[in-house]
Amino acid sequence: MMQQPVGKLLLFGATGDLAQRMLLPSLYALHADGLLPPDLTITGTARSDHDDDGYRAFAAKALDQFLPADRKDDSAVQSFLQRLFYQTLDASTIEGYAELKEKIGDISGGLAIFLSTAPWLFGPTIKGLESAGLAGDNVRISLEKPLGRDLASSREINDIVAEAFPEERTFRIDHYLGKETVQNILALRFGNSLFEPVWNARGIDSVQITVSETVGLEGRAGFYDDTGALRDMVQNHMLQLVALIAMEPPARLDGTSVRDEKVKVLRSLRKIAIADAPNLTVIGQYGGGAVKGEIVRDYTTDLGKSSRTETFVAIKAHVDNWRWQGVPFYLRTGKRLAERRSEIVIRFKPVPHSIFAERGGMLQPNALVIRLQPEEYVQLLVMAKQPGLDREGYRLREVPLNLSLDAEFAGTRRRIAYERLLLDLIEGDPTLFVRRDEVEAQWEWIDAIRAGWDANDLKPKPYASGSWGPSLAIALTERDGVHWHE
């Protein structure tokens, strides 16, 4: 496994939205904190016409716009810009790659390539890189999703990449895995003796994962309408969260052990049969309504045409193995919902016998809430007695034991996910990247759901913007006696 830092970084799509909002600010932050190899150069490439100075001016503008005020430091920005170079390239034709190679120069110290381009460009890009000698043993490539629309197209893309880059030099990004709280799942589960004994079907009643957004299409209309909520969120981020919550303890914290355990979970997901798709899944599409006090339009108006794309999906899933037999995993994600939130809620089984019932005390089962955004915290909801003399009965109340990462680590600089992932790519650590067998197991499960929707001709149910989605999503959990955590 070649785990040493590379000397060169090549960014495809270097003038795009992702580069401006995430990649350049992340690379600058790593530079400002002295974490990049001192001689690392960063070459950007895209169709836009720039020379080195033009691109440095472009990057300076992006940093000015997207860096938080407390991170801006003129001398650090100036020294960072000196690392940047640029080569104009039409990635779709083989011409131009030789010039790109010349621009990058000597790659004997290793090269990392970050590919954030349209998927149809992957083929020509890989061929171009190969033709110019930019795909050798000391080159690793990082792929930004979407990697396909289904299992077949995902395999096709992975095959194209694999012709030039073997699995150990291919780094597939799921930016959720770079989030601090997501890695805290591993620390919580495997760093504390408290949880592991009850982290199974004997101790846990249900698991809920919610990734809700308040935004609508926001400039991604064409991409989103072709994709929909199931492919956009469930196939990658949410299934990765399921894998981290449900995996067995890995032997060690390295790329092979962690990903071996994750793929076992993804392969254990019970396929949703065609006949069960209407009962185990709910799809919706946002209508008009109000979000944060602002009147918003429905999806069809936002898009400019009628469409059957789902902007909301809720699923009742099961992991068929010893640890999780019979425990439902409820997943839901959607746009234009009541609030922006990513969280995991683990509901534990109730106590076997309540001694408080005849004194009027009502018990709630314990729950563990792991909030990923907008705030980052972990809460354990436990029962406590309300103070008082209890003449009217025994009053119990659910109270949170709180670990707020924002408060607890207030002095520590919070990193955005891409900082960690770019540094891991530069240094060659694959642990937080997604392996091919994981991607394919995810797609297999997702494709079965889509087949069920098609066979049953399921159309998305309308829901009011600013709500929590179609009422059927509430019924999905309520019939099992479970409430969504709101």
Side-chain angles (χ1 to χ4, degrees), residues 316-480:
K316 179 181 175 182
H318 288 90
V319 177
D320 280 338
N321 59 22
W322 271 47
R323 183 182 288 258
W324 296 108
Q325 200 50 52
V327 178
F329 282 69
Y330 300 103
L331 316 179
R332 67 171 172 176
T333 180
K335 291 192 170 299
R336 289 268 167 85
L337 295 180
E339 60 180 80
R340 172 173 172 257
R341 180 200 293 185
S342 296
E343 75 178 5
I344 299 160
V345 180
I346 313 285
R347 286 202 179 278
F348 293 96
K349 291 261 166 78
V351 296
H353 166 68
S354 172
I355 61 170
F356 305 102
E358 56 201 35
R359 300 280 298 273
M362 292 298 288
L363 289 180
Q364 297 291 332
N366 301 130
L368 181 70
V369 180
I370 303 168
R371 174 69 68 95
L372 312 176
Q373 63 191 32
E375 321 88 329
E376 296 189 88
Y377 60 72
V378 180
Q379 271 184 354
L380 184 59
L381 303 177
V382 296
M383 295 309 292
K385 177 188 166 306
Q386 288 197 21
L389 295 172
D390 313 313
R391 297 284 86 21
E392 266 76 67
Y394 216 74
R395 284 207 299 273
L396 297 169
R397 203 175 109 206
E398 189 175 59
V399 293
L401 296 178
N402 255 330
L403 162 64
S404 161
L405 296 183
D406 296 335
E408 207 50 56
F409 301 104
T412 323
R413 171 161 291 137
R414 305 312 294 279
R415 305 266 175 203
I416 61 174
Y418 276 99
E419 290 179 46
R420 175 188 308 273
L421 296 172
L422 283 162
L423 192 58
D424 283 351
L425 169 68
I426 288 163
E427 293 181 345
D429 181 352
T431 310
L432 298 178
F433 294 84
V434 184
R435 211 165 59 188
R436 177 170 182 163
D437 50 0
E438 291 179 71
V439 180
E440 298 193 347
Q442 288 169 190
W443 274 123
E444 260 178 71
W445 192 69
I446 292 293
D447 284 358
I449 293 174
R450 289 210 82 90
W453 293 352
D454 293 344
N456 290 285
D457 197 28
L458 289 188
K459 298 180 183 64
K461 298 271 184 281
Y463 61 93
S465 286
S467 70
W468 278 109
S471 53
L472 280 174
I474 298 163
L476 184 71
T477 60
E478 297 278 342
R479 59 174 183 246
D480 301 335

Side-chain angles (χ1 to χ4, degrees), residues 6-19:
V6 293
K8 304 274 168 90
L9 179 64
L10 171 59
L11 299 180
F12 278 84
T15 55
D17 184 52
L18 183 73

Side-chain angles (χ1 to χ4, degrees), residues 271-318:
K271 287 265 188 331
I272 292 181
I274 283 176
D276 293 332
N279 311 321
L280 297 180
T281 68
V282 175
I283 48 177
Q285 190 182 83
Y286 65 78
V291 176
K292 296 191 216 150
E294 277 183 38
I295 300 294
V296 291
R297 306 179 305 182
D298 60 29
Y299 180 78
T300 315
T301 312
D302 278 354
L303 185 66
K305 60 177 199 227
S306 72
S307 162
R308 287 180 60 165
T309 299
E310 80 285 355
T311 64
F312 174 95
V313 60
I315 302 172
K316 179 181 175 182
H318 288 90

